[in-house]
Amino acid sequence: MALRRPHRKSRHGCLECKRRRVKCDETRPVCSNCSKRQAECEYDSSSSLLWANEEPHHTKSVNSRSEEPPLPEPPHVTANPFDTSAEDDGATHSSPSLNLGDLELMMQWCNSTYQVLTRNERTDPVWRLRVPEEALSYPFLMHGILALSALHIARTRDDHRRPEYISAAVAHQNQALAFFRKQLDDINDTNAKAMFALSSMIVVYAFGFPHSPESKGPWACIDDFIQVLVLARGVEQVLRQATPSIRSSDWEILLRLDKYIASLPQDALSLLERLRELNAYCGAQDTTHDTDIYNKTIDNLTDITAAAYGGLTSITVAARWAIRLKPKFVNLIRDRSPLALIILAHLCSVLCRLKKYDWCIDQWVFKLPRAIWQILDDRWKPYAQWPMVEIFGQGFLSEIETD
């Protein structure tokens, strides 16, 4: 009788391999079977996200009988790490491998990346410690943490490994979104924290991901920014549904927005008033001009300008403005409305005024107004001149032409 080949059982295999009743190699985030079949690879969310591909330890029994009880495990003896005469028993004891790439990304999160989401020392512990703890129960949140950390490294380190970190960011983000979408119709007290945290990360990731080079033309830059705005608007619905559960939890501090002085310097007030006057003039000249939606957007711009003067970070200011945008205004940008583009230029000037803008915002502070200036015709450029001076300086024309 032919002997049956022994094999190791897969205890943490993906759901697809379990369904097909095939052995899973448990590679994360996508196992080899699913990779070959180009199938969606999911792991049971009830188990914690493994940092490495687990190598189960099995002991072989010699001449054992099925009716006999298994022998007890021998006591573990702590080896002397300084005993160089000890023999290497690696052949008998398998060592679990470490996923150093993911460990590096988690260290990046705890040391630095979390700071882009936190506002002050009161919210620091939540983003730095509580969010990773929550991610142990929700793999999609863990993938979100690793994705944002990889993107942060790619955007701030200038070395040959930058493409590797971008690829890691995309892979983890795709995994995060695949699980995240399945939870959208069932946001409850149990998963609200994870959904809230990942939604916030998605907005930062969208702002921070590198987009089309300027060589593709100014409208490519505008279209990329429109995609960021659309995504931010979608996240707003998730945040709204999760907020009641967050408010009654130990994460409630995240919802306490910092107070800031609503009064603005005279030059900022004069600028915003000019935008309102321009909007009224356009409405008087064109009966199809939607004066109301522009006024609401300018009011939103006024509020985040005050927030910027009050000390909020650039990503907080930009995300708050984007999330509050009305879909009609996003469509106006898409329809190439000159006034909508001018308002965008003023937003960039507000971000630039913060001086210290976050790594996920810097690409928009200069690239977006440069594209807007190239698009506007001579009739509209005088209304965009002030934000251009604020961003590039008095010699902004030569700055824009040479870049």
Side-chain angles (χ1 to χ4, degrees):
M1 179 183 297
L3 294 177
R4 184 178 180 182
R5 291 183 60 188
H7 67 278
R8 297 183 304 174
K9 293 184 178 179
S10 173
R11 295 185 295 167
H12 301 288
C14 73
L15 300 180
E16 176 66 12
C17 287
K18 289 181 179 180
R19 184 187 67 80
R20 296 177 54 231
R21 296 185 179 182
V22 297
K23 184 178 180 300
C24 180
D25 62 5
E26 301 174 22
T27 300
R28 309 274 175 140
V30 182
C31 74
S32 299
N33 291 335
C34 291
S35 177
K36 293 177 182 178
R37 292 168 53 85
Q38 296 184 343
E40 183 176 357
C41 188
E42 297 181 33
Y43 287 87
D44 187 0
S45 60
S46 62
S47 62
S48 61
L49 181 66
L50 301 179
W51 287 108
N53 300 327
E54 182 180 284
E55 295 290 343
H57 175 69
H58 297 276
T59 55
K60 296 182 179 180
S61 58
V62 181
N63 297 327
S64 61
R65 298 180 181 178
S66 58
E67 66 272 9
E68 294 179 354
L71 295 175
E73 289 285 339
H76 293 283
V77 179
T78 303
N80 181 359
F82 303 104
D83 183 5
T84 58
S85 63
E87 295 183 1
D88 182 10
D89 59 351
T92 57
H93 296 281
S94 60
S95 300
S97 59
L98 293 174
N99 191 326
L100 296 180
D102 286 352
L103 288 175
E104 177 195 16
L105 297 180
M106 180 52 71
M107 287 188 64
Q108 171 70 19
W109 173 268
C110 294
N111 291 335
S112 181
T113 301
Y114 80 94
Q115 295 173 355
V116 76
L117 287 154
T118 190
R119 299 191 309 273
N120 49 49
E121 60 185 12
R122 293 175 298 160
T123 61
D124 280 357
V126 176
W127 287 110
R128 185 170 184 263
L129 303 174
R130 302 291 177 265
V131 170
E133 288 176 0
E134 190 73 10
L136 294 175
S137 300
Y138 292 93
F140 67 82
L141 180 56
M142 185 66 76
H143 282 298
I145 290 174
L146 302 182
L148 195 57
S149 297
L151 182 61
H152 186 190
I153 294 175
R155 288 294 312 281
T156 55
R157 291 187 193 172
D158 186 16
D159 60 29
H160 66 283
R161 295 188 60 196
R162 184 173 183 270
E164 296 178 23
Y165 288 113
I166 290 291
S167 296
V170 171
H172 281 297
Q173 187 73 350
N174 288 341
Q175 287 288 311
L177 294 178
F179 289 106
F180 178 76
R181 293 188 186 102
K182 296 179 180 179
Q183 307 273 343
L184 288 176
D185 295 330
D186 185 27
I187 300 176
N188 51 59
D189 291 341
T190 303
N191 64 12
K193 288 181 178 180
M195 296 294 285
F196 182 94
L198 184 60
S199 296
S200 303
M201 294 178 196
I202 288 172
V203 175
V204 177
Y205 185 97
F207 272 102
F209 194 83
H211 290 276
S212 304
E214 295 181 46
S215 60
K216 290 190 176 181
W219 274 113
C221 175
I222 303 297
D223 290 339
D224 286 340
F225 194 71
I226 289 173
Q227 295 304 313
V228 174
L229 298 180
V230 170
L231 190 145
R233 285 288 307 152
V235 162
E236 188 269 342
Q237 300 175 14
V238 178
L239 294 176
R240 189 190 313 133
Q241 293 181 57
T243 292
S245 299
I246 300 296
R247 199 177 299 281
S248 59
S249 73
D250 55 347
W251 287 20
E252 184 265 343
I253 188 65
L254 298 181
L255 302 178
R256 295 186 199 172
L257 298 180
D258 302 318
K259 294 181 179 180
Y260 51 85
I261 301 175
S263 59
L264 292 171
Q266 188 57 45
D267 60 341
L269 289 173
S270 299
L271 176 66
L272 293 166
E273 186 58 33
R274 281 191 66 193
L275 286 176
R276 290 191 174 90
E277 291 174 357
L278 178 60
N279 181 34
Y281 174 80
C282 292
Q285 298 296 315
D286 183 2
T287 56
T288 64
H289 181 81
D290 194 340
T291 306
D292 183 60
I293 191 64
Y294 284 108
N295 274 332
K296 289 180 179 178
T297 306
I298 295 171
D299 290 341
N300 185 12
L301 181 63
T302 303
D303 179 69
I304 64 101
T305 301
Y309 276 95
L312 293 190
T313 62
S314 61
I315 183 58
T316 303
V317 170
R320 181 181 295 187
W321 184 82
I323 288 173
R324 291 181 178 179
L325 272 186
K326 302 297 181 184
K328 281 186 177 180
F329 184 77
V330 178
N331 289 334
L332 289 170
I333 300 174
R334 188 179 284 112
D335 293 339
R336 290 153 165 67
S337 162
L339 181 54
L341 296 177
I342 289 172
I343 292 175
L344 275 186
H346 283 78
L347 168 68
C348 293
S349 71
V350 173
L351 298 176
C352 186
R353 184 179 282 268
L354 291 171
K355 302 302 181 184
K356 184 181 178 181
Y357 25 80
D358 297 296
W359 59 267
C360 48
I361 292 295
D362 58 358
Q363 65 175 332
W364 301 112
V365 172
F366 300 102
K367 188 166 70 171
L368 195 58
R370 186 178 291 115
I372 291 170
W373 184 263
Q374 295 173 10
I375 291 170
L376 293 175
D377 60 32
D378 292 339
R379 294 176 300 166
W380 292 94
K381 281 183 176 178
Y383 299 102
Q385 186 168 341
W386 187 91
M388 297 300 162
V389 172
E390 184 78 7
I391 296 167
F392 299 105
Q394 290 293 338
F396 72 91
L397 287 176
S398 60
E399 179 85 13
I400 292 176
E401 291 174 358
T402 55
D403 288 350

